[in-house]
Amino acid sequence: MAVTRRGYIFGAFLSSVLSVLLIVVALASDSWVTSTATAPTQTADSSIRYGLFRGEFIVRELITPSEFTLYMTCVPDLGVCAVSCKTNEAAREVEVRALASGYRPNAACGSTTTVNEANPLSTPPVISFAFYVCLITLLIVQLLLAVGAAGLAILNATKNPTEPAFGLPGCLWTNITVTLVGLAVMLMFGIYWATSGLQTHLAMTHIALALFVPGPGLGYSYWLLIVACLCSATNVVLIQVRAYLLEREPPPPTIKVENHSDGTIFLY
């Protein structure tokens, strides 16, 4: 009986499922950007965290902290995004427009936004809308590819498809692509974090107006992508190790018909 070593392929399937889950968590969670927010009048440091869609702003000015939801708000016609704690969608848009223009919106987490156009900010504390859209698009592409890699792995673990696109070569190259796209996402966000000034203003009114001193960092949502990339890279290794072991297997014995003169029928 031929040795198929399907355990390696099934291991690649489990690793692909883990990669899918990690990408989903990274995409949906609210800890891409994390920061403390220090002010002299506080009883303890406030905290900020937000992801690609929402976040949380906890203010500790008093013994009992106040919690506010942060919303990633984009204004496509200006090509900018920022986070806002305003409770009204229209107020959030007005706030982001003011930040994009360098003006100073009020910092209260209420339902209205007032704008002070005097003494404008030197640098608009916003995120590039094009960068934001590209980041989410690549994450969705990575997720779809990871789902495809998991499907190909379980397909090859349960049967032997004859189509090359659905065989192990397809599974191998899908995992390679997942890894490369994941690394591209991490490099994009990491470089943008280091060079755009996002660490300084956090694309948030309270930090841009210097009401708080930030202690910024990258949250677990970002670092989960490293594990997702490692899972996909592990799949590549498993598939290649399996191929290497199969090549080392001794060939099946061959029967020479001319050595048998007793009329035995051989089935091949």
Side-chain angles (χ1 to χ4, degrees):
M1 178 180 291
V3 178
T4 59
R5 299 188 184 273
R6 292 180 185 267
Y8 287 86
I9 309 176
F10 189 71
F13 165 70
L14 295 179
S15 182
S16 294
V17 171
L18 178 58
S19 178
V20 169
L21 294 176
L22 291 171
I23 297 170
V24 169
V25 173
L27 183 62
S29 56
D30 60 358
S31 289
W32 280 74
V33 173
T34 62
S35 178
T36 56
T38 306
T41 58
Q42 294 185 117
T43 58
D45 287 346
S46 298
S47 60
I48 300 166
R49 74 170 189 273
Y50 64 85
L52 301 177
F53 305 103
R54 287 197 178 191
E56 187 178 48
F57 180 31
I58 301 177
V59 181
R60 296 185 174 89
E61 291 181 336
L62 303 174
I63 296 177
T64 302
S66 300
E67 299 182 4
F68 303 97
T69 301
L70 293 175
Y71 301 88
M72 180 64 74
T73 305
C74 294
V75 183
D77 60 309
L78 294 180
V80 298
C81 300
V83 289
S84 171
C85 63
K86 296 291 192 292
T87 58
N88 181 276
E89 183 177 354
R92 292 195 291 269
E93 182 176 341
V94 172
E95 181 178 15
V96 175
R97 286 183 178 275
L99 291 174
S101 302
Y103 299 141
R104 297 172 179 266
N106 65 312
C109 295
S111 59
T112 59
T113 299
T114 58
V115 180
N116 179 8
E117 298 185 3
N119 188 23
L121 300 167
S122 58
T123 303
V126 292
I127 300 171
S128 167
F129 177 69
F131 168 80
Y132 176 75
V133 171
C134 288
L135 189 70
I136 292 180
T137 301
L138 284 177
L139 276 171
I140 293 174
V141 169
Q142 184 187 11
L143 176 60
L144 294 176
L145 288 170
V147 171
L152 288 173
I154 194 62
L155 182 67
N156 283 275
T158 54
K159 62 180 183 178
N160 292 318
T162 57
E163 299 85 352
F166 299 107
L168 283 177
C171 186
L172 174 67
W173 284 106
T174 303
N175 279 289
I176 291 175
T177 308
V178 173
T179 305
L180 293 177
V181 173
L183 291 175
V185 171
M186 296 198 69
L187 285 173
M188 278 181 59
F189 195 83
I191 293 172
Y192 191 84
W193 172 260
T195 61
S196 68
L198 182 57
Q199 295 183 61
T200 305
H201 55 67
L202 298 184
M204 185 178 178
T205 297
H206 294 74
I207 302 300
L209 298 181
L211 302 178
F212 296 91
V213 177
L218 294 173
Y220 73 86
S221 302
Y222 174 80
W223 299 113
L224 283 177
L225 292 178
I226 287 184
V227 186
C229 291
L230 288 175
C231 288
S232 299
T234 299
N235 296 342
V236 174
V237 172
L238 288 172
I239 293 171
Q240 291 296 87
V241 168
R242 175 185 178 274
Y244 172 74
L245 292 176
L246 289 178
E247 289 177 357
R248 293 192 59 189
E249 292 290 335
T254 57
I255 302 175
K256 295 183 179 181
V257 179
E258 62 270 15
N259 293 338
H260 296 267
S261 58
D262 58 354
T264 304
I265 298 175
F266 296 95
L267 296 178
Y268 295 95

